[in-house]
Amino acid sequence: MDALNNRNLSSHSWRGQKSKIRALAGQVPSEGREERMCFRSVWFASGCDLLVSSHHLLSTPPSGDSVTLSESTAIISHGTTGLVTWDAALYLAEWAMQNPAAFAHRTVLELGSGAGLTGLAICKTCHPSAYIFSDCHSCVLEQLRGNILLNGLSLEADVTDPARHPEHNTCNSESPRVTVAQLDWDVVTAPQLAAFQPDVVIAADVLYCPETVLSLVRVLQRLSACLKNQQAPDAYIAFTVRNPETCQLFTSELGIAGIPWEAVPHHDQKLFPYEEHSEMAILKLTL
C-alpha cells in the first residue's frame, strides 16, 4: 500500500489502520477494494424526523438542512479506513441531533473525525461555539477539509488555540468556529491538548483493536490531567461491537486510568440506513 511510503503517516496511524484492515479485509469483496470517490448527501427535516441518504450529490430540500460528503467507495483506500463513514459515526450523529444541549455553545473536540459526518451534523444542528475536527492521516485530513468547505463552513487557520478568539460571539453566531488538527494520539503532548480547551470530547468507531484502545485511553488520560483546573469535560465514545473482548479491554483500561464511565441508553436508529444486525453503543466518560 502506498501509505507505507507516506512520510507524514505516523507509526500509530499505520499500526492502528493495519489492525483494522486485517480485521476487515476478509469481509471486503474485490470490487469493494477499488478506489473511487463519490458524493453522499444526507438531509434531515426540523425535529430530526427524516433523513435520506444517497451516493449522489443532491440539492438541499426547501425545509431542513443537509450534510454532503466526498467519500471513497472503497472501505480501504490509501492505506486507511478513514475515508468512508462507519455506522458508529451515524449512530453518534443521530444521538447528538436528539440531544443538542450536550453540545450547544460548547467547544467540541472530535478524535478520529474520518470523513466528518458526525461533526458536520453537530455543527449544523447542535449549535456548538467551536468544533475541532482531528485525525492523523494526511489523506483523511485533506478530504476532511474539503468536506467542511463543501458544507459551507469556514475553516480557522489557527488550530493550536481554537477556543480563544474574543471577537467571536459564541452565543449568537449561527455557525461555530471550525478548525482541523493533525493529531497523533501516541505523540501529542499535554500542552497541545490543553490548547484546545474542549468542553466535550467525542469519538466514533475507534475501538477496533487493542493498540488503538490503549492509545485512546492514554490520550484521554492526558486530556484529563491537563484540564484538571477547569470543569471536567464529558466524552462520548461511540462504537460498533465487533469483538466484545475489545470493548471489555476499553472499559477495563478506563478503570485503571481512573476515568468514570456509564453507558448511554440506546436510541432508536430511525434516521440513517445502518447495516443490519450492527450492535452499537455509546459510553459517556467524565474526564
Side-chain angles (χ1 to χ4, degrees), residues 93-105:
E94 185 166 355
W95 181 86
M97 288 189 285
Q98 295 171 3
N99 296 271
F103 306 96
H105 312 306

Side-chain angles (χ1 to χ4, degrees), residues 9 11-24 27 79-82 86 88 111-114 135-137 140 185 203-216 237-247 249-250:
L9 187 59
S11 58
H12 157 69
S13 65
W14 175 244
R15 281 203 313 274
Q17 295 296 346
K18 182 168 63 175
S19 299
K20 190 169 185 179
I21 288 168
R22 279 202 304 266
L24 294 169
Q27 306 171 22
T80 177
T81 56
W86 296 86
L111 302 172
S113 298
D135 217 295
C136 62
H137 195 294
V140 175
W185 301 347
D205 217 334
V206 294
L207 304 182
Y208 45 80
C209 69
E211 295 98 322
T212 56
V213 168
L214 297 176
S215 292
L216 175 61
I237 311 299
F239 53 92
T240 300
V241 182
R242 298 186 181 90
N243 183 345
E245 293 181 0
T246 304
C247 302
L249 174 64
F250 181 52

Side-chain angles (χ1 to χ4, degrees), residues 129-130 155-158 161-179:
S129 59
L155 272 171
E156 294 280 331
D158 180 13
D161 194 2
R164 298 176 185 171
H165 288 271
E167 71 276 8
H168 184 84
N169 189 332
T170 58
C171 294
N172 298 322
S173 175
E174 292 184 4
S175 297
R177 186 183 322 106
V178 176
T179 57

